[in-house]
Amino acid sequence: MKLIEKEKKKIKLKVEAVPEPAVAAVEGELDASGKRFAIVVARFNAFITERLLLSACDGLLRTGAAKKDIAVVRVPGAFEIPLAARTLALTGVYDAIICIGCLLRGDTAHYDVIVNEVTRGIGQSAQETGVPHAFGVLTCENLEQAIDRAGLKMGNKGFEAALAAVEMANLKKAVSRQPSAVRKGKAKPTSRKRSPRS
């Protein structure tokens, strides 16, 4: 015990402040007021997805969203999430889409196929529609991991997805307000010249 105390006295920790970047960053705020959100939630593994849904709603409400500005859309399983998310994004009504599901690894390759398609589909929908999509789909090895990520030991991924959606909705708005050389008239947009086909 005395040896440990002596070692503690010898070690002096020097805590340095985190350096500020040379360039100011554009960031989205955690303020959901005045914004509309859609939550797509899978019914499959509902004992997990319902906990994620409740926490996602809590995250939106805590950051200022109004109940009337939150739409919940239920789909059969995780595989159906991307199509529903894309359909909602294309309406132009929502500032962000929150995707919630739970996939548990089984004894077959089915899990890997579904995980890859759901991930790809959600990402593709966000990129092609320009509407932020928050990924709240759990991909777990077993039920214990899913329970931990739905509010037991590792926080709640539904709440985290809601915060990501709020931040990205605000970031999109902040970036669109940034002045550009094209808008200031200092540069002209370039267009690609097509090469003649042979």
Side-chain angles (χ1 to χ4, degrees):
M1 191 71 153
K2 288 182 180 181
L3 181 62
I4 294 172
E5 291 301 320
K6 284 181 183 179
E7 290 299 316
K8 281 184 181 178
K9 288 178 184 177
K10 286 182 188 178
I11 300 172
K12 290 186 179 181
L13 296 176
K14 184 178 178 184
V15 179
E16 295 181 13
V18 177
E20 288 291 324
V23 179
V26 178
E27 296 179 288
E29 296 178 7
L30 287 176
D31 180 9
S33 55
K35 295 193 173 28
R36 298 193 68 195
F37 299 89
I39 304 173
V40 181
V41 59
R43 284 192 300 268
F44 195 75
N45 288 327
F47 53 97
I48 298 294
T49 61
E50 288 302 311
R51 293 179 69 163
L52 297 172
L53 172 63
L54 289 174
S55 286
C57 290
D58 183 41
L60 292 175
L61 295 171
R62 284 177 185 248
T63 54
K67 277 187 181 181
K68 65 178 179 57
D69 292 332
I70 302 170
V72 176
V73 176
R74 295 184 187 277
V75 294
F79 188 77
E80 290 77 25
I81 291 173
L83 177 60
R86 183 183 187 89
T87 303
L88 290 161
L90 288 173
T91 65
V93 172
Y94 302 102
D95 295 287
I97 312 294
I98 301 166
C99 303
I100 293 177
C102 177
L103 294 164
L104 301 175
R105 183 179 292 281
D107 295 329
T108 67
H110 180 73
Y111 170 86
D112 296 311
V113 172
I114 298 297
V115 166
N116 290 334
E117 286 303 307
V118 170
T119 304
R120 183 197 56 76
I122 292 171
Q124 186 175 352
S125 177
Q127 291 170 6
E128 292 178 0
T129 64
V131 176
H133 289 43
F135 193 84
V137 179
L138 299 183
T139 54
C140 302
E141 292 294 318
N142 52 50
L143 181 58
E144 184 180 351
Q145 284 182 358
I147 292 168
D148 286 347
R149 287 164 176 78
L152 192 59
K153 291 181 183 176
M154 301 181 72
N156 189 298
K157 300 305 177 188
F159 188 86
E160 291 173 20
L163 296 185
V166 171
E167 185 173 347
M168 289 305 294
N170 283 304
L171 178 63
K172 182 180 176 188
K173 188 175 180 181
V175 168
S176 68
R177 285 185 285 184
Q178 291 294 307
S180 73
V182 173
R183 277 188 252 157
K184 288 181 179 179
K186 292 181 181 177
K188 292 182 180 178
T190 58
S191 60
R192 282 188 172 174
K193 291 183 180 179
R194 293 185 182 186
S195 59
R197 293 183 182 176
S198 47

